[in-house]
Amino acid sequence: MKKSFVILFSAALLSLSLTTIVATPVHAANDDAPVTDTTDSLAVTNKTGYIYFRHGEGTFNAYKDPALKIFGPEVTHFADRYMPHQAVAAYDQIATNTKTNQVMAYHIPDGWVGLDSWTANDPSTYTRGNDFGVVTLGNKTQQLYTDSKLLTPANRTLAAGTAWRYDVKEIITYKYISSVGIYAYQVGTNLWLPGTAVATEDSYPNGWGVSDQGIVKVTNRAEATMYGNLRWNNSQPYARKLAYGTQWRYPKAYISSKNKLLGFQVGNNQYVKASDVTIVPRRGVFTVTSKNGVPAVSHIGNYPVETRKLKVNTRWLTTGVQYYYGTVFYRVSTDSYVNGLNGTWTPLK
């Protein structure tokens, strides 16, 4: 008698923990072995996890049956794994060979898929970044996770638009397109934020030191802690602190890669954070040395607006400074700044 094959997709079937299916030819393979045919029966079991499309992104066929005989929809499916360059599917059932106990197919929201196009092994590789900084979330509340692979949700979320210090990055390298991205940020003890939730990142170590002749005043009433380095997270604080209200000269200011002021050097290998001090406004004279003159701008950044042109050898009274991408800008009027690289500055006594 010829054997028949019938699958009933009912609520009763899905509620069972184990369903045996009669023998029929199916595609069978180890996770990375060639696909072969078998007539062994299959057992369907409730189980959850993730599988990965073998070719990165793409369109594939799901099947209506675990024997992968009846075509279902043509879909491109991405699970909630925050991997923009890798198709990932969450499954809730598996079909195994009843003789060999090998997994033959996975049930995802779109139907059944087999191991000829999918793998249970994450093809991407992960490495840890050695920087630290601040990330700002986009316009959505974000779930946190207890692990860097973002598999286990934590009992905490972060509000949209909020900024958080991160200590470690999880960097992902996608196998199929050789692309590298940031998969997750560690924002607390056993708390990881998906990289896709971040709108802006301000990485502290990869910044600049800007030479200057400034003075800072300690504004932290609990005193200013000194550090051996501002640009690495493992820098240990010194026992000595700078008293509230005291003023200190600095030969260098430190700026992050995204133009955030980190702090100041106040001694040999001694630094204070910008949050503990404020720059003391100093009057000085800026002399233009660039033979073609130099523009004064009202906006310091990627799109500066020129307010006037300062001619070579002219001298200008300065009343403040700003730092931008490794350069000091001197304020020469209420809303006009000049790039310090185009002249010399001398403080007034």
Side-chain angles (χ1 to χ4, degrees), residues 216-226 240-248 276-277:
V216 290
K217 180 179 180 179
V218 178
T219 52
N220 186 343
R221 293 185 178 275
E223 302 183 315
T225 300
M226 289 194 295
R240 182 191 171 194
K241 295 185 177 182
L242 303 183
Y244 170 72
T246 57
Q247 297 187 14
W248 303 86
D276 291 333
V277 298

Side-chain angles (χ1 to χ4, degrees), residues 192-243:
W192 291 83
L193 174 70
T196 53
V198 172
T200 61
E201 173 203 309
D202 200 5
S203 174
Y204 284 3
N206 305 313
W208 295 272
V210 185
S211 296
D212 197 11
Q213 305 174 53
I215 295 174
V216 290
K217 180 179 180 179
V218 178
T219 52
N220 186 343
R221 293 185 178 275
E223 302 183 315
T225 300
M226 289 194 295
Y227 297 84
N229 196 320
L230 286 179
R231 299 195 293 170
W232 298 106
N233 198 32
N234 58 1
S235 180
Q236 296 298 313
Y238 292 131
R240 182 191 171 194
K241 295 185 177 182
L242 303 183

